[in-house]
Amino acid sequence: MGLLALGTPLPWNEAKRYADHVRYHGITQFLHTWNRLKERQGDELLWGDEIEYMVVVLEDAAKSARLSLRQTEILDKLSRIVDNISSECPKSISVPTFHPEYGRYMLESTPGSPYTGSIPDILSVEANMRYRRNLARKHLKSNEVPLTLTSFPLLGIPGQFTEPYYDPVGAISSHSLFLPQEITNPHARFPTLTANIRQRRGSKVAINLPLFVDAKTPQPFVDPAIPWERDIYPEDSDAKNGAALADHIYLDAMGFGMGCCCLQLTFQACNIDEARRMYDALIPISPILLALTAASPVWRGYLADVDCRWNVIAGSVDDRTDEERGLKPLRNSRFRIPKSRYDSVSLYISNDWKNRPDYNDIYTPYDEAIFNRLKDNGVDSLLAKHISHLFIRDPLVVFTETIDQDDKSSTDHFENIQSTNWQTIRFKPPPANSPIGWRVEFRSMEVQMTDFENAAFAVFVVLLTRAILSFHLNFYIPISKVDENMARAQLRGASALGKFYFRKNVHTQGNSGPSSGSASPVNGNGSHPVKEKKLRNCFPAPPHPENGINHEPVESEYEEMSMKEIMTGKGTNFPGLLGLVSEYLDTLDIPTDELRKINAYLDFIRLRSTGQLQTPASWIRDFVRSHPDYKQDSVVSQAINYDLLVAVDEIERGVRSAPSLLPKKYRGGHADQGSIGI
Ligand code: ADP
Ligand code: MG
Ligand code: MG
Ligand code: MG
């Protein structure tokens, strides 16, 4: 999770004195990058995934499944092993990297080097993910398993949910009623981040998820698991004084959100303009894929009426003051800020003519002095607005040792603000002292329980980015509608039941007309398409139409569509995202066998999007509700949790079948040939 500098972090009352210093030098650092690399061209498609795991201890005799807090030990061991495994590692896979995460039970892994656009590389993703999982598994204790669960169902229940047990009374950073201090990675950054968010905000974070009310759920539901009368920290009375709503699951700590796992993908673009086009096109896609990957229906031992983690994380790091949240008139704070630091994107940033000003239709506060400074230094308005919007935030963790930096060689201050703006899509400028170019990160997806599913989504999104760039697809809808989709995406059953705003005509011309996307590059004489052998970068922006654009009103450019329509098509004009990906594949020269393998992933995504296969969230909900121990009262017991997590592990390994979740051919993590025999 972002930058992990070493040093002595300042408590909030001291850190806040350096906010302007960090912002000023952060911008200086960005300007150095901008001046050096704004004209950089020709970077190839390199890309990578990030997968987060929870380490779970399964005690078969006691039928308990708990979070193992051995992250530090496990990472030590993995890094030692990783240093030594070059020989053990198959030739096709470079030695992977394991990273710490917020939760002390979490691990993150990334491929040792990014994938390229070659078809064999694209098809190596699943084996790479599985290799990483097995490597982690091999170095855990015999009763520990690395599970790719988005949210841990019993996090924060009364009693024991971690191994070993710790009491929440010692939660000195979060002041949580539910989560002990020891849930948090002990590296100074994480407890400080937790405490400084609470102090900056002026209160404990508060999230209320609607409860899934079942046949025998008491009504109204007043949660007996909340220690209503606890009196240790000043905020303990918050729950009683209205922070905890009836008929909701109340969550009061950063760990409930940042303790979730997700699947992220990062793509390098040819140049900054291509990165900006890709960024914009992925913005409307982010809620769609959040709904399609929904995987987190259980929170603090209760079934929720939502399927996704997003709003929990947004609330869990919401450091805005009452004034910024609009609860009080502005006195000490500088802006009214509509969103948390962890939230959906608020601005499209491409300079492409397709990006009509009307699409940026929500109030997006930005720091005017920073905006002007960026403009004065040659940054165009849209990018200046993006950066000066991110920079309305304060740095939350400031290390005494790194307050003064060489702005020419460091981007730490810039990254301090950038990496604590956790938005659905992140525009990643090139890091200091690195050969890496301009990149875009896709961050909304929930992690899937199997590497087959995770690989399928990785393959789908990388192909979609190529379809976007090569066909110059236009996915723009007003950003307020993307936000509405974010809210809808998280509702129970959104993928199967919901409707989402989507653009009707995705081909480049603003007004209706045939696809202007020329699928393939043409050869020397300008006529015969040359089929590419790999996915690539560098698709020049389409020229502005000569006769001007006959804009329709924005409102008539989009409509509500079901997931099935968005993914598989609607009417004769819109082939759906999967259709667009297939059209893109037609422009490539791919051997039949490899195409079959790619199609196996796309078929799975199609089945998920039509509802023929369930989302992980629906599958988990059904598992809980049909468990013999379930009393139709919304409660997920220790026994249900144990059986659920054993099932998840067995499904991943292919020991147990899950025909409503995975394709019939799925054979699991230990199959040599890929999990569905491909
Ligand atoms: P963060 O946590 O800041 O998002 P990570 O280092 O965890 O960053 O993940 C970065 C991802 O970017 C990894 O999947 C990695 O493989 C990938 N990556 C590394 N170099 C490049 C590159 N040049 N282009 C695209 N992706 C890259
Ligand atoms: Mg992470
Ligand atoms: Mg990471
Ligand atoms: Mg990331």
Coordinates of all heavy atoms in Angstrom, one line a residue, residues 355-362 477-479 552-554:
N355 N -13.1 14.3 -25.1 CA -13.4 14.6 -23.7 C -14.1 16.0 -23.7 O -13.5 17.0 -23.5 CB -12.1 14.6 -22.9 CG -12.3 14.9 -21.5 OD1 -13.4 14.9 -21.0 ND2 -11.2 15.2 -20.8
R356 N -15.4 15.9 -23.8 CA -16.2 17.2 -23.7 C -16.2 17.8 -22.3 O -16.3 17.0 -21.3 CB -17.6 17.0 -24.2 CG -17.7 16.5 -25.6 CD -19.1 16.0 -25.9 NE -20.2 17.0 -25.8 CZ -21.4 16.8 -26.1 NH1 -21.9 15.6 -26.5 NH2 -22.3 17.8 -25.9
P357 N -16.1 19.1 -22.2 CA -16.1 19.7 -20.8 C -17.3 19.2 -20.0 O -17.2 19.1 -18.8 CB -16.1 21.2 -21.1 CG -15.6 21.3 -22.5 CD -15.9 20.1 -23.2
D358 N -18.4 19.0 -20.7 CA -19.6 18.6 -20.0 C -19.5 17.3 -19.2 O -20.3 17.1 -18.3 CB -20.8 18.3 -21.0 CG -21.1 19.6 -21.8 OD1 -20.5 20.6 -21.6 OD2 -22.0 19.5 -22.7
Y359 N -18.5 16.5 -19.5 CA -18.4 15.2 -18.8 C -17.9 15.4 -17.3 O -18.2 14.7 -16.4 CB -17.5 14.2 -19.5 CG -18.0 13.9 -20.9 CD1 -17.2 13.8 -22.0 CD2 -19.4 13.5 -21.1 CE1 -17.6 13.5 -23.2 CE2 -19.8 13.2 -22.3 CZ -19.0 13.2 -23.4 OH -19.4 12.8 -24.7
N360 N -17.1 16.5 -17.2 CA -16.6 16.8 -15.8 C -17.6 17.6 -15.1 O -17.5 18.8 -14.9 CB -15.2 17.5 -15.9 CG -14.1 16.5 -16.2 OD1 -14.1 15.4 -15.7 ND2 -13.0 17.0 -16.9
D361 N -18.7 16.9 -14.6 CA -19.8 17.7 -14.2 C -20.0 17.6 -12.6 O -21.1 17.9 -12.2 CB -21.1 17.2 -14.9 CG -21.4 15.7 -14.4 OD1 -20.5 15.0 -14.0 OD2 -22.6 15.3 -14.6
I362 N -19.0 17.3 -11.9 CA -19.2 17.3 -10.4 C -18.2 18.3 -9.8 O -17.2 18.6 -10.4 CB -19.0 15.9 -9.7 CG1 -17.6 15.4 -10.0 CG2 -20.1 14.9 -10.2 CD1 -17.4 14.1 -9.2
I477 N -19.0 9.2 -20.3 CA -20.4 9.6 -19.8 C -20.1 10.6 -18.7 O -19.0 10.6 -18.2 CB -21.2 8.4 -19.2 CG1 -20.5 7.7 -18.1 CG2 -21.6 7.5 -20.4 CD1 -21.4 6.6 -17.4
P478 N -21.1 11.4 -18.3 CA -20.8 12.4 -17.2 C -20.2 11.7 -16.0 O -20.7 10.6 -15.6 CB -22.1 13.0 -17.0 CG -22.9 12.9 -18.2 CD -22.4 11.6 -18.8
I479 N -19.3 12.3 -15.3 CA -18.7 11.6 -14.2 C -19.7 11.4 -13.0 O -19.5 10.5 -12.2 CB -17.3 12.3 -13.8 CG1 -16.3 11.3 -13.4 CG2 -17.6 13.4 -12.8 CD1 -14.9 11.5 -13.8
E552 N -24.4 15.7 -29.9 CA -25.7 15.5 -29.3 C -25.7 16.0 -27.9 O -24.6 16.2 -27.3 CB -26.0 14.0 -29.2 CG -26.1 13.2 -30.4 CD -26.3 11.7 -30.1 OE1 -27.4 11.4 -29.7 OE2 -25.3 11.0 -30.3
P553 N -26.8 16.3 -27.4 CA -26.8 16.6 -25.9 C -26.2 15.5 -25.2 O -26.5 14.3 -25.5 CB -28.3 16.9 -25.6 CG -29.1 16.8 -26.8 CD -28.2 16.3 -27.9
V554 N -25.5 15.8 -24.1 CA -24.8 14.7 -23.4 C -25.8 13.6 -22.9 O -25.6 12.4 -22.9 CB -24.0 15.3 -22.2 CG1 -23.7 14.3 -21.1 CG2 -22.8 16.0 -22.7

